[in-house]
Amino acid sequence: MTTDLHDLPGHLIRRMHQISVSAFAAETKAAGVDLTPMQFAALCMLGENPGIEQATLAGLVAIDRPTIGGVVARLEARGLLERGVSPNDRRARILNLTEAGAALLREARPLVQRAQDAMLGELAPDERDTLVALLLKVTSAETSRAPRPLAGGTPASDTSETD
């Protein structure tokens, strides 16, 4: 078992997160697109799942419900999504992209792809595939073991990144 900080997976994952957020910000800022990684994730999931409830969106992007409430409020204030009352549960809110939200998502997708390419630029294509496969394996296993904390509040409510 290693104790060298630079060999610890948790430290390297935190560093990779910093690199990822920085690459995302560089691409979106250069293109004049006002969007955070969490807002992009929310728009993506709404584009793929129109009419879902806000709580479902929180689970799909793996953040807690209070945090997704702020993300949704900011996107709604910008006219990028619409919130409505669920026909099945009057307490629940359903979400849909507006035309402006769909247009911003279309504009952002190539920027996000460029950010991915920039942050993985040191890897060969097969190494990128391996990294993504391993990350999917780890994150899928963790989600299946402990899905409740993502909806409950603590592990996913990382305040190091604005939404």
Side-chain angles (χ1 to χ4, degrees), residues 11-148:
H11 174 72
L12 294 171
I13 291 166
R14 183 189 63 78
R15 285 288 298 126
M16 192 68 218
H17 178 258
Q18 290 174 318
I19 293 165
S20 171
V21 171
S22 178
F24 183 98
E27 289 295 333
T28 55
K29 184 177 180 182
V33 172
D34 180 20
L35 198 63
T36 68
M38 187 53 58
Q39 291 171 347
F40 175 75
L43 292 176
C44 279
M45 289 297 97
L46 288 174
E48 295 172 16
N49 304 281
I52 60 173
E53 293 181 1
Q54 190 166 309
T56 302
L57 178 61
L60 289 172
V61 297
I63 62 171
D64 60 75
R65 289 180 185 190
T67 302
I68 199 64
V71 172
V72 166
R74 281 180 276 291
L75 292 172
E76 182 181 33
R78 293 176 56 196
L80 302 173
L81 66 80
E82 296 172 327
R83 224 184 316 204
V85 177
S86 169
N88 302 328
D89 179 355
R90 299 216 32 89
R91 296 169 297 166
R93 300 291 173 251
I94 57 168
L95 307 171
N96 285 292
L97 289 181
T98 61
E99 281 300 319
L104 181 60
L105 182 57
R106 285 190 300 275
E107 181 181 4
R109 283 187 189 278
L111 304 174
V112 172
Q113 185 57 57
R114 282 199 298 269
Q116 305 310 296
D117 293 342
M119 68 185 207
L120 298 179
E122 296 300 314
L123 300 178
D126 62 321
E127 291 174 319
R128 291 178 186 202
D129 293 344
T130 299
L131 176 62
V132 171
L134 291 171
L135 290 170
L136 282 169
K137 184 176 183 178
V138 171
T139 57
S140 295
E142 181 58 30
T143 301
S144 67
R145 275 196 303 270
R148 297 304 307 159

